[in-house]
């Protein structure tokens, strides 16, 4: 989690640390659990990571339920997704442009930090 805090500092992200001791473990994918144990939410220059209540509410909606946990969005049209189950290939993260008309594709990134760095690079193009 130190690498994430360092990254958030580098990009001047605004975040709120989590002051709760209990996180709804059964509702949060393993790959996102430590994030929500540490942070409440994060505002990034290129998007936002939702607070847990918003993420859970969004994740119950179609087309995300039952496979995807929606943890944030960019400043345009893409939702940020984490696979709820165990990934066979170790990949958990992807994004989905809800205006594209396309289905949600398979995950491409293995961890939150590599996902966010890629999204940052794409937003600069």
């Amino acid at each position: 989690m130190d690498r994430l805090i360092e990254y958030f500092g580098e990009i001047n992200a605004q975040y709120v640390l989590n002051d709760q001791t209990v996180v709804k473990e059964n509702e949060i994918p393993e790959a996102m659990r430590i994030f929500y144990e540490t942070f409440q939410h994060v505002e990034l220059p290129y998007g936002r990571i939702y607070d847990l209540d918003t993420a859970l509410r969004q994740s119950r909606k179609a087309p995300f339920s039952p496979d995807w946990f929606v943890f944030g969005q960019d400043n345009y049209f893409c939702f940020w997704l984490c696979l709820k189950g165990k990934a066979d290939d170790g990949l958990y993260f992807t994004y989905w442009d809800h205006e594209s008309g396309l289905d949600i594709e398979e995950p491409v990134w293995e961890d939150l930090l590599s996902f966010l760095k890629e999204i940052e690079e794409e937003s600069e193009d």
Side-chain angles (χ1 to χ4, degrees), residues 74 78 95 109 116-125:
D74 68 11
C78 293
Y95 59 86
W109 294 273
L116 292 174
K117 285 184 174 184
E118 180 74 21
I119 298 299
E120 177 189 17
E121 286 179 24
E122 288 182 14
S123 74
E124 293 172 351
D125 293 340

Side-chain angles (χ1 to χ4, degrees), residues 8 10 41 47 62 66 70 77 81 87 102 104-105 112 118 124:
F8 291 157
E10 290 171 6
H41 62 89
V70 185
F77 309 109
L81 311 174
L102 301 173
I104 298 171
E105 296 181 4
L112 182 58
E118 180 74 21
E124 293 172 351

Side-chain angles (χ1 to χ4, degrees), residues 58-59 61-68 70 79 81 84 96 104:
Q58 288 289 91
S59 299
K61 296 177 182 178
F64 309 119
S65 181
D67 298 324
W68 296 100
V70 185
F79 288 104
L81 311 174
K84 284 185 178 177
W96 177 64
I104 298 171

Side-chain angles (χ1 to χ4, degrees), residues 51-69:
D51 63 83
L52 184 55
D53 289 337
T54 301
L56 292 171
R57 189 171 52 254
Q58 288 289 91
S59 299
R60 291 183 190 112
K61 296 177 182 178
F64 309 119
S65 181
D67 298 324
W68 296 100
F69 180 79

Side-chain angles (χ1 to χ4, degrees), residues 90-106:
L91 303 176
Y92 292 92
F93 295 90
T94 193
Y95 59 86
W96 177 64
D97 181 343
H98 73 276
E99 292 194 344
S100 70
L102 301 173
D103 291 336
I104 298 171
E105 296 181 4
E106 294 299 313

